[in-house]
Amino acid sequence: MEFGQYKIFLLVFKHYKSINLKLLLPYSRWLFFFSVLTAFLLGCSASKKEKKKTSFMKNLTAHYNIYYNASEILHASELNIQSSIQDDYSQLLELFPIPDTAVSSGESENLNQVIDRANRIALEKYESNWVDDAFLLLAKAEYYKGNFYNAAEYFDYVGQNFPNEPENTVEALIWQAKTFFALQHYPQADSVLKIASGKNIKAHADQLNAAIAESYILKKDYHSAADYLATAVDKSQSRYSRIRWTYILAQLQELTNQPEQAYDSYIRVAKSN
């Protein structure tokens, strides 16, 4: 009930009480009161419908006008950053290459656009269902710019504050772990990955297993790393990740004296190109 409507109802009811009821027939008295009550209830219903309409419009504009465009811009920057990676194939490749500073600088205009649009959702469309998605975009843009501390804070915010969005929560935790890898905060990365694993969410299983594999690689436990990375490859829907991870899996299989499995993995990479 809106305060304004409540006030109007009281004024009408007060006016009704001031009428000489003796001059009205019983039927007329009840008809008058029923009419006032009906008008009041219809006003409340209209208010609720208006709120639903406003919420619907905020969801619509947040998604199609802002979020969709921002996610497309971010995806384009991701592709540019990925294509610029210079790998040394004589060494064990990185599962999650840290963005090159020079390349990130070249994408700064696009990444700043993503940050601006994500902030618009957070500030102007805070009643929409896209706030957690907006903060994820914002965090990823900061990550690709090399602002890892900012990114870690935003990922942590999503991971802590949106319990009704389990898929985004897990994705934020995985990216937070990747950010901690970039910062060389390895115990914090392990802690976050344990939380993500404990969620038992099927979504992002490829990224989660790859991140756990990275943790084992850093500990030089290549057997465990290979096991988790094999699972990540099987679950991945990304062609880029699947090819890169399969090559790294072959390298791990070489390091663990599994030449036949390594050969099969290298063949899978060759057939993918």
Side-chain angles (χ1 to χ4, degrees):
M1 182 190 304
E2 298 290 340
F3 176 74
Q5 292 171 338
Y6 179 71
K7 188 175 180 181
I8 291 170
F9 176 73
L10 289 178
L11 290 172
V12 174
F13 187 72
K14 182 178 179 181
H15 176 69
Y16 167 74
K17 288 178 68 178
S18 70
I19 296 173
N20 189 344
L21 299 181
K22 293 181 180 180
L23 298 178
L24 296 174
L25 295 174
Y27 176 77
S28 299
R29 291 201 306 265
W30 285 110
L31 181 61
F32 176 79
F33 185 77
F34 179 74
S35 298
V36 173
L37 182 61
T38 301
F40 171 72
L41 292 175
L42 286 174
C44 290
S45 176
S47 176
K48 290 178 180 178
K49 287 181 179 179
E50 189 63 30
K51 283 184 177 180
K52 287 183 179 179
K53 181 179 178 182
T54 300
S55 178
F56 171 77
M57 289 304 298
K58 284 188 175 181
N59 277 316
L60 190 67
T61 57
H63 181 212
Y64 291 103
N65 288 2
I66 307 174
Y67 176 80
Y68 177 79
N69 289 333
S71 61
E72 288 295 299
I73 294 170
L74 180 65
H75 181 62
S77 288
E78 285 178 324
L79 293 178
N80 290 337
I81 290 170
Q82 288 173 1
S83 64
S84 69
I85 296 171
Q86 301 292 322
D87 289 311
D88 181 357
Y89 290 93
S90 66
Q91 303 294 323
L92 182 62
L93 300 189
E94 296 178 70
L95 281 171
F96 306 113
I98 298 174
D100 181 80
T101 305
V103 177
S104 295
S105 296
E107 291 297 319
S108 61
E109 183 177 349
N110 287 336
L111 295 173
N112 285 336
Q113 284 190 51
V114 174
I115 292 170
D116 290 343
R117 289 167 189 257
N119 277 322
R120 278 190 61 195
I121 294 177
L123 295 173
E124 300 175 16
K125 312 291 182 181
Y126 54 87
E127 292 181 351
S128 75
N129 297 327
W130 295 91
V131 175
D132 53 320
D133 302 272
F135 274 108
L136 266 178
L137 284 182
L138 176 58
K140 290 177 182 179
E142 293 285 11
Y143 176 89
Y144 285 120
K145 288 183 69 176
N147 298 331
F148 298 122
Y149 285 104
N150 289 349
E153 289 183 8
Y154 287 125
F155 287 131
D156 182 64
Y157 179 79
V158 177
Q160 298 277 353
N161 291 284
F162 298 92
N164 295 327
E165 300 290 345
E167 292 188 10
N168 279 354
T169 296
V170 169
E171 184 178 11
L173 290 170
I174 295 167
W175 275 83
Q176 188 179 16
K178 290 164 62 175
T179 306
F180 283 141
F181 288 145
L183 291 168
Q184 299 182 1
H185 294 175
Y186 304 133
Q188 291 92 325
D190 288 344
S191 178
V192 168
L193 290 174
K194 286 180 182 178
I195 296 172
S197 297
K199 299 290 183 181
N200 294 318
I201 302 297
K202 292 182 179 179
H204 311 295
D206 58 333
Q207 292 287 329
L208 178 57
N209 279 277
I212 295 173
E214 173 71 1
S215 178
Y216 279 116
I217 288 173
L218 292 168
K219 298 181 181 75
K220 299 190 183 303
D221 183 351
Y222 298 134
H223 280 283
S224 297
D227 291 339
Y228 277 99
L229 191 55
T231 302
V233 169
D234 290 339
K235 294 182 178 296
S236 178
Q237 299 298 314
S238 164
R239 184 175 183 273
Y240 170 83
S241 295
R242 195 165 54 248
I243 293 173
R244 183 177 187 84
W245 294 350
T246 301
Y247 188 91
I248 298 171
L249 176 60
Q251 291 181 305
L252 292 171
Q253 289 164 336
E254 278 194 282
L255 289 169
T256 53
N257 297 315
Q258 301 178 72
E260 292 182 1
Q261 291 91 331
Y263 176 80
D264 291 340
S265 295
Y266 283 128
I267 290 297
R268 289 169 62 187
V269 173
K271 289 182 177 180
S272 298
N273 294 322

